[in-house]
């Protein structure tokens, strides 16, 4: 997997500057919220956040820090899905989705013990993922990716049902992020 190309495609999908009144993230450029940009030291106007800075933020905050790069060593397409979900929902959400799915695919603890769905990918999560991979092979990665898509879609419904303003984004979420 070429990480740079994947990150570049993600930034392209996220688009340029947006400040939609229903978006709880406020002003964004390349999908990076103002709060995140400021946390990474950006002091300028969000309208002109450099693409290179967005790419750097994505790599550090949404790829390396949550250890999706380590998932990619096992299942590249799953890791790409987790990156996209993490950008949209926060980094711990796809990690929790993965942990929940691994727990349901472990044949009641026969393949490996359940893990806490805490959103932190650590030693136990990777041991479970490795055991899953050993038993399920490459096909397992695609099944996990589909499971994560299902959980993501269900979460979109919950978000929009709780806050009608989020309906402004629901079609786009399903169009661009599920599948």
């Amino acid at each position: 997997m070429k990480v740079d190309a994947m990150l570049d495609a993600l930034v392209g999908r996220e688009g340029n500057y947006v400040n939609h009144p229903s978006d709880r993230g406020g002003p964004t450029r390349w999908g990076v919220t103002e709060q995140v940009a400021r946390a990474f030291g950006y002091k300028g106007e969000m309208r002109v956040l450099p693409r290179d800075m967005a790419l750097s933020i994505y790599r550090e905050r949404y790829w390396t820090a949550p250890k999706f790069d380590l998932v990619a060593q096992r299942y590249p397409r799953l890791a790409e899905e987790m990156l996209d979900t993490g950008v949209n929902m926060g980094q711990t959400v796809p990690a929790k989705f993965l942990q929940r799915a691994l727990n349901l695919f472990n044949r009641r603890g026969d393949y490996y013990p359940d893990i806490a769905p805490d959103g932190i990918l650590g030693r136990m999560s990777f041991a479970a993922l490795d055991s899953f991979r050993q038993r399920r092979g490459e096909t397992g990665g695609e099944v996990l990716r589909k499971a994560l898509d299902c959980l993501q879609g269900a979460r979109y419904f919950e978000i929009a049902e709780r806050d009608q303003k989020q309906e402004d984004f629901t079609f786009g979420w399903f169009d661009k992020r599920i599948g």
Side-chain angles (χ1 to χ4, degrees), residues 43-174:
K43 297 185 185 335
E45 289 289 322
M46 284 305 293
R47 291 180 193 279
V48 295
L49 175 77
R51 187 180 179 105
D52 289 357
M53 181 159 205
L55 289 166
S56 176
I57 290 169
Y58 280 137
R59 180 181 292 277
E60 183 178 335
R61 181 178 172 109
Y62 298 100
W63 184 247
T64 308
K67 300 182 182 171
F68 299 160
D69 58 328
L70 300 180
V71 174
Q73 293 173 8
R74 292 139 170 107
Y75 291 120
R77 281 183 35 94
L78 174 64
E80 187 172 359
E81 173 68 28
M82 294 177 74
L83 169 70
D84 185 73
T85 303
V87 166
N88 188 244
M89 295 184 164
Q91 310 90 301
T92 61
V93 173
K96 285 180 188 177
F97 288 170
L98 175 61
Q99 291 163 330
R100 289 174 61 196
L102 286 168
N103 285 344
L104 291 177
F105 295 147
N106 72 356
R107 301 203 44 127
R108 295 175 297 197
D110 198 36
Y111 289 174
Y112 46 86
D114 279 347
I115 51 179
D118 60 7
I120 300 168
L121 297 179
R123 185 172 287 135
M124 291 178 67
S125 295
F126 284 108
L129 185 60
D130 289 341
S131 182
F132 176 86
R133 183 175 166 72
Q134 184 177 11
R135 298 230 183 218
R136 298 296 187 181
E138 288 301 314
T139 302
E142 196 54 25
V143 170
L144 283 171
R145 191 190 63 74
K146 289 176 183 177
L148 269 61
D149 261 352
C150 290
L151 291 166
Q152 182 179 8
R155 185 170 169 122
Y156 286 141
F157 271 94
E158 292 166 4
I159 289 168
E161 287 171 343
R162 273 195 314 263
D163 180 357
Q164 269 191 330
K165 290 180 185 176
Q166 300 310 300
E167 287 182 23
D168 293 352
F169 310 110
T170 308
F171 184 88
W173 289 335
F174 276 87

Side-chain angles (χ1 to χ4, degrees), residues 24-42:
R24 294 180 279 190
T28 65
R29 182 156 193 220
W30 312 121
V32 176
T33 66
E34 185 170 24
Q35 179 184 9
V36 169
R38 300 289 181 241
F40 277 80
Y42 182 67

